[in-house]
């Protein structure tokens, strides 16, 4: 079978118009861009339910006239009683006494199906063509997110309808994360993977921001539009994925099947492409193994036995419990909390909540960079989770003092909460999916990613559900739950943290024993060594604290 049959049709068109192929570096940029936009669309389509909660809940007061999203208009708009087009308060079946619980139930329906679907989606992603699989998931997600919004225009008030739409949307959304991480893992090695994926993982926060702004910008025309617009966004993006995403380097002929007649695209002068080709050949990616359908995929049990998969999966359970509680309930919390003595409108609360994701972008990049420098993924993730505990306490206690304090503390909390979440779901998943125990003879990227993120998604389902019940009593209870979740996430990585620190000490001692004594060692002559020593100081301190604490 010719690679042209697997190559994205959009890239084939570009190649024919240019008369020559792109370099390896260009293809990598294309892969980063397309997968970035793809998962931005996934997260954007999840955000509307958090924005419309305060519209569906009868206790909220809305101000929908003369409003523009915060990049153009004001962030803080005082909440006032509204009249006119949206005078009716609430939407059955969410406007009863159990409305808040039902809002939590539809979150559970979506995230529960998402979590369960993740395990099957990961295994299928390692068996099927990732580009087709990802496209199908995106188009299906767009359809069912849009149908949820159509309930407004069709005047549907049956709770079952909204529950089923969320469940189906969750199943299709499960195709996304294992697929995009597997694609990135196929194109990029482990060197600087934490930093690359930390920057790339900004799509999560960008998607949350985009979804919030899209949903808020059309809310005044009816809450149904807040679902239809993001649904259309992911649908169209799915078409772009089908046209332009090369899921494997082999699919654009950087390593060709051994059929004796295909022309190899990497030209002799393209040294980087030739190095990739040699690397692929040396790891069994060609001659019948390098194509998207020929490499053996491992089972869920085999993937669970890879060292580190279970601890990181359980850690992500609690990390996503915390992160998704903010994702789904932060706008609702802001609309019910007086900030500087004023309550803000529902749409202002939705737009302000995006600053949490701005902090998350910085956190994801910072966590990836630090973990690359220290070569300690678990230590970095655990440190972020422990530091998030005082950050959340400060936000709950002092975030309502003034607008400035709310913005600053929210961004700090977003940085510390989303940092480890981003690190585990990207660089850690890709590292474990290409673990040395696999010996290069099986495909595990999507499967391992699905196990880790699927387990995490169970926590993501539990957090918003518990919040629906706890928030009706007090928000103090919600924040206590978040603190307990962050502490559990860090604690579950204790064994891996100790192992990383012991490994660093053993390497350091080995280097000291093997290095001959020097008569003179000018300070300026060993600048690089001084930098490395400085980088190990935090690890020494952490090791001392952990060993004496445990």
């Amino acid at each position: 079978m010719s690679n042209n049959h697997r190559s994205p049709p959009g890239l084939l068109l570009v190649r024919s118009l240019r008369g020559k192929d792109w370099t390896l570096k260009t293809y990598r940029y294309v892969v980063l861009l397309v997968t970035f936009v793809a998962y931005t669309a996934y997260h954007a389509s999840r955000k509307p339910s958090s924005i419309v909660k305060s519209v569906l809940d009868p206790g909220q007061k809305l101000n929908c006239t003369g409003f523009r999203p915060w990049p153009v208009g004001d962030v803080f708009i005082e909440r006032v009683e509204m009249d006119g087009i949206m005078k009716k308060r609430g939407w059955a079946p969410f406007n009863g006494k159990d409305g808040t619980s039902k809002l939590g139930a539809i979150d559970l329906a979506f995230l529960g199906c998402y979590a369960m679907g993740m395990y099957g989606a990961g295994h299928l992603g390692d068996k099927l063509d990732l580009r087709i699989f990802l496209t199908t998931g995106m188009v299906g997600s767009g359809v069912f997110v849009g149908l949820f919004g159509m309930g407004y225009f069709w005047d549907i008030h049956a709770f079952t309808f909204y529950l089923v739409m969320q469940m189906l949307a969750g199943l299709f959304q499960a195709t996304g994360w294992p697929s995009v991480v597997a694609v990135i893992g196929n194109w990029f090695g482990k060197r600087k993977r934490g930093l690359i994926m930390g920057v790339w993982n900004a799509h999560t926060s960008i998607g949350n921001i985009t979804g919030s702004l899209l949903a808020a910008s059309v809310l005044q025309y009816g809450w149904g539009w807040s679902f239809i617009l993001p649904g259309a966004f992911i649908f169209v993006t799915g078409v772009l994925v089908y046209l332009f995403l090369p899921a494997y380097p082999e699919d654009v002929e950087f390593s060709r099947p051994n059929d004796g007649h295909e022309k190899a695209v990497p030209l002799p002068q393209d040294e980087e492409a030739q190095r990739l080709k040699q690397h692929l050949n040396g790891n069994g990616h060609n001659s019948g193994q390098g194509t998207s359908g020929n490499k053996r995929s491992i089972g869920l049990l085999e993937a669970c036995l890879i060292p580190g998969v279970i601890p990181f999966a359980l850690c992500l359970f609690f990390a996503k419990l915390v992160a998704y509680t903010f994702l789904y309930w932060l706008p609702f919390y802001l609309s019910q909390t007086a900030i500087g003595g004023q309550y803000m409108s529902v749409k202002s609360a939705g737009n302000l909540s995006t600053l949490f994701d701005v902090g998350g972008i910085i956190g994801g990049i910072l966590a990836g960079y630090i973990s690359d420098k220290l070569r300690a993924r678990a230590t970095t993730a655990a440190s972020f989770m422990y530091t998030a505990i005082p950050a959340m306490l400060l936000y709950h206690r002092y975030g309502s003092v003034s607008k400035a304090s709310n913005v600053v503390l929210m961004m700090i909390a977003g940085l510390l909460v989303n940092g480890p979440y981003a690190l585990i779901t990207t660089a850690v998943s890709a590292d474990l999916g290409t673990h040395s125990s696999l010996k290069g003879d099986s495909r595990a990227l999507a499967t391992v990613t699905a196990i880790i993120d699927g387990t995490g998604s169970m926590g993501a389902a539990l957090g918003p559900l518990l919040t629906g019940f706890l928030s009706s009593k007090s928000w103090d209870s919600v924040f206590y739950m978040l603190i307990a979740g962050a502490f559990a996430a860090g604690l579950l990585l204790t064994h891996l943290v100790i192992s990383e620190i012991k490994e660093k000490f053993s390497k350091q001692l080995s280097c000291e024993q093997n290095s001959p004594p020097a008569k003179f060692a000018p300070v300026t002559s060993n600048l690089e060594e001084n930098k490395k020593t400085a980088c190990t100081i935090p690890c020494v301190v952490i090791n001392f604290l952990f060993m004496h604490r445990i």
Side-chain angles (χ1 to χ4, degrees):
M1 181 178 178
S2 172
N3 271 358
N4 285 338
H5 289 88
R6 291 185 300 272
S7 297
L11 294 183
L12 289 175
L13 177 61
V14 171
R15 184 187 301 175
S16 64
L17 292 175
R18 294 180 76 244
K20 59 180 180 179
D21 201 9
W22 283 331
T23 64
L24 172 63
K25 183 178 293 187
T26 302
Y27 272 119
R28 282 177 168 169
Y29 284 135
V30 170
V31 168
L32 284 173
L33 177 62
V34 174
T35 53
F36 185 95
V37 176
Y39 216 70
T40 294
Y42 268 103
H43 260 264
S45 66
R46 298 175 193 174
K47 194 63 179 176
S49 62
S50 68
I51 300 299
V52 303
K53 273 186 173 72
S54 297
V55 179
L56 302 177
D57 190 296
Q60 297 304 302
K61 302 173 183 180
L62 306 177
N63 179 12
C64 294
T65 57
F67 180 83
R68 294 178 296 174
W70 66 261
V72 180
D74 296 329
V75 173
F76 290 94
I77 298 179
E78 186 177 357
R79 190 177 71 191
V80 297
E81 291 282 359
M82 59 168 298
D83 50 8
I85 188 170
M86 293 188 68
K87 192 171 183 179
K88 181 180 178 180
R89 292 165 56 187
W91 183 270
F94 304 104
N95 59 352
K97 292 182 179 179
D98 60 346
T100 304
S101 298
K102 285 183 175 179
L103 290 173
I106 63 170
D107 289 343
L108 176 65
F110 175 88
L111 293 167
C113 289
Y114 175 81
M116 290 186 293
M118 184 74 70
Y119 296 103
H123 191 59
L124 288 173
D126 279 332
K127 283 182 171 292
L128 305 177
D129 187 315
L130 283 171
R131 178 171 58 90
I132 304 299
F133 188 59
L134 187 58
T135 299
T136 303
M138 298 182 74
V139 170
S141 297
V143 169
F144 289 108
V145 169
L147 286 175
F148 189 102
M150 289 302 298
Y152 172 82
F153 299 99
W154 293 338
D155 200 26
I156 296 175
H157 297 278
F159 178 67
T160 305
F161 171 81
Y162 298 105
L163 196 67
V164 171
M165 290 302 104
Q166 286 288 77
M167 292 172 68
L168 292 172
L171 285 174
F172 277 94
Q173 288 262 326
T175 62
W177 192 239
S179 299
V180 294
V181 172
V183 171
I184 292 297
N186 290 334
W187 279 92
F188 294 90
K190 289 187 177 181
R191 185 174 178 268
K192 295 185 179 180
R193 180 178 278 172
L195 178 59
I196 291 172
M197 286 192 154
V199 175
W200 172 76
N201 193 66
H203 54 52
T204 299
S205 298
I206 296 293
N208 293 339
I209 294 170
T210 302
S212 296
L213 297 181
L214 288 176
S217 65
V218 293
L219 185 60
Q220 65 191 42
Y221 305 110
W223 63 261
W225 286 111
S226 296
F227 286 87
I228 292 174
L229 192 57
F233 177 42
I234 190 172
F235 187 98
V236 172
T237 307
V239 176
L240 294 177
V241 165
Y242 176 78
L243 294 174
F244 294 104
L245 179 65
Y248 303 88
E250 301 86 353
D251 290 348
V252 286
E253 300 179 353
F254 274 93
S255 179
R256 68 181 199 178
N258 189 20
D259 56 13
H261 62 80
E262 283 191 88
K263 181 181 179 181
V265 171
L267 301 176
Q269 63 269 24
D270 189 349
E271 295 179 0
E272 186 180 10
Q274 289 292 346
R275 285 197 298 271
L276 176 65
K277 181 179 179 181
Q278 294 170 4
H279 169 74
L280 293 172
N281 290 341
N283 287 278
H285 281 269
N286 79 340
S287 189
Q289 293 184 27
T291 60
S292 55
N294 290 329
K295 206 171 184 186
R296 184 180 72 87
S297 61
I298 70 172
L300 290 175
L301 181 59
E302 291 178 89
C304 287
L305 295 177
I306 297 173
V309 168
I310 296 300
F312 274 113
L314 294 175
C315 171
L316 191 62
F317 177 94
F318 291 101
K320 288 192 77 168
L321 182 151
V322 177
Y324 268 67
T325 298
F326 278 102
L327 173 67
Y328 278 87
W329 285 95
L330 183 56
F332 189 84
Y333 170 74
L334 289 170
S335 66
Q336 291 194 336
T337 303
I339 301 175
Q342 293 183 343
Y343 288 91
M344 67 181 66
S345 71
V346 173
K347 294 173 74 175
S348 269
N351 287 306
L352 179 63
S353 69
T354 61
L355 297 177
F356 181 86
D357 294 296
V358 173
I361 295 172
I362 301 171
I365 296 172
L366 189 61
Y369 177 78
I370 292 173
S371 70
D372 277 345
K373 285 293 183 183
L374 298 180
R375 295 183 181 179
R377 309 284 197 211
T379 303
T380 303
S383 300
F384 269 69
M385 291 310 306
Y386 287 134
T387 313
I389 294 174
M392 289 187 290
L393 282 172
L394 288 172
Y395 177 67
H396 181 50
R397 176 65 180 84
Y398 298 104
S400 59
V401 172
S402 67
K403 299 172 183 177
S405 68
N406 191 284
V407 169
V408 172
L409 292 174
M410 184 193 300
M411 292 182 69
I412 293 174
L415 184 153
L416 295 169
V417 168
N418 284 347
Y421 160 41
L423 178 66
I424 294 172
T425 54
T426 53
V428 169
S429 296
D431 287 349
L432 296 175
T434 54
H435 196 270
S436 58
S437 63
L438 297 172
K439 299 178 181 178
D441 62 354
S442 58
R443 293 168 57 189
L445 270 170
T447 303
V448 169
T449 301
I451 291 171
I452 293 176
D453 201 49
T455 305
S457 296
M458 292 182 181
L462 181 62
L465 176 67
L466 292 176
T467 302
F469 292 102
L470 295 175
S471 62
S472 61
K473 298 179 180 179
S474 72
W475 285 103
D476 289 340
S477 302
V478 175
F479 276 87
Y480 292 148
M481 176 193 73
L482 296 177
I483 290 167
F487 180 76
L491 199 63
L492 284 164
L493 294 181
T494 300
H495 178 70
L496 294 177
V497 169
I498 294 174
S499 297
E500 287 179 348
I501 296 171
K502 284 182 177 179
E503 183 182 358
K504 283 193 169 292
F505 268 111
S506 63
K507 287 182 178 180
Q508 186 177 2
L509 290 174
S510 177
C511 290
E512 290 175 357
Q513 291 172 358
N514 294 332
S515 58
K519 294 181 179 179
F520 296 98
V523 176
T524 56
S525 65
N526 287 322
L527 183 58
E528 284 300 316
E529 191 63 35
N530 291 337
K531 289 181 179 179
K532 292 180 181 178
T533 303
C535 288
T536 62
I537 291 175
C539 292
V540 175
V541 175
I542 294 172
N543 181 49
F544 177 82
L545 292 174
F546 267 95
M547 295 301 291
H548 285 73
R549 181 177 182 178
I550 296 171

